Amino acid sequence: MGNKQTIFTQAQLDAYQDCTFFTRKEILRLFDRYRDLAPQLVPLDYTGKPAVTLPYELIGSMPELKDNPFRQRIAEVFSENGDGNMTLDDFLDMFSVLNFNNDDYICKSDLEKTVNKLTRNELTPEEVNLVCDKVIYEADVDNDGKLSLEDFQHMIIRAPDFLSTFHIRI
């Protein structure tokens, strides 16, 4: 009794929580999702920080990405080498991208971090600010300065072709 598998050290979990703002439970759940993509490649014991990278073909087949026309670009943006192949760190980073402060809203600072990540910091601060202001102006139905799930759903319903045609012009 009590033989529980140790996946991460306490220091690793603390570091992941600090970097992603995920709870311990969410980190373990995402690890399971990562491992489920290739159980033969991903060991159950990560305490030794194994050098595991899953190929884009597996990452792109995930339900969250498989129907997204930008799936390859998303994977490339979040993979450290820019090739779409992902380590566990890349995978956790991808899932933490939008709601950085974990408040169930996408605020301007969340958008700024997302835009910088997606553009690899190639925009000036003024351009990032312009993009973020425009997104909030267009999508913030209740005018509270942040985007809720309801705001996002309203935007998608208003523009059903949004996901296939969305691009940012600066």
Side-chain angles (χ1 to χ4, degrees):
M1 305 236 354
N3 279 342
K4 194 169 183 180
Q5 174 72 38
T6 300
I7 298 170
F8 301 106
T9 66
Q10 188 59 48
Q12 285 173 307
L13 279 174
D14 290 344
Y16 282 137
Q17 286 177 299
D18 288 344
C19 292
T20 66
F21 301 104
F22 287 133
T23 65
R24 173 188 164 93
K25 186 176 181 177
E26 290 167 329
I27 292 165
L28 293 173
R29 191 172 4 155
L30 285 168
F31 171 78
D32 288 340
R33 300 255 340 263
Y34 182 75
R35 188 170 189 283
D36 286 346
L37 292 172
Q40 71 283 8
L41 296 176
V42 181
L44 276 172
D45 182 355
Y46 251 69
T47 58
K49 296 190 121 198
V52 175
T53 302
L54 296 186
Y56 163 73
E57 292 74 25
L58 294 174
I59 301 297
S61 70
M62 294 174 42
E64 293 85 352
L65 292 177
K66 72 178 183 177
D67 295 325
N68 188 320
F70 304 111
R71 69 183 165 275
Q72 184 156 358
R73 178 68 180 134
I74 291 168
E76 289 169 355
V77 164
F78 290 100
S79 66
E80 187 173 328
N81 297 329
D83 56 7
N85 302 327
M86 290 193 180
T87 64
L88 178 62
D89 290 357
D90 298 334
F91 190 78
L92 291 172
D93 191 27
M94 179 176 68
F95 275 92
S96 69
V97 70
L98 278 178
N99 188 12
F100 290 98
N101 56 13
N102 204 25
D103 65 355
D104 294 328
Y105 292 95
I106 299 170
C107 65
K108 188 169 180 179
S109 67
D110 294 330
L111 284 173
E112 288 169 348
K113 290 175 185 172
T114 302
V115 169
N116 283 323
K117 186 78 171 168
L118 291 173
T119 62
R120 298 184 190 248
N121 294 309
E122 292 177 0
L123 301 179
T124 67
E126 294 78 23
E127 291 169 327
V128 170
N129 191 47
L130 178 68
V131 169
C132 295
D133 285 346
K134 183 72 171 167
V135 168
I136 289 174
Y137 175 79
E138 291 291 329
D140 184 15
V141 176
D142 56 7
N143 294 315
D144 62 357
K146 56 190 175 186
L147 304 180
S148 64
L149 177 60
E150 292 79 22
D151 291 331
F152 184 75
Q153 288 172 333
H154 183 263
M155 179 179 66
I156 298 301
I157 290 168
R158 239 182 36 206
D161 59 343
F162 170 81
L163 292 177
S164 61
T165 62
F166 177 72
H167 60 280
I168 299 172
R169 287 190 191 132
I170 297 183

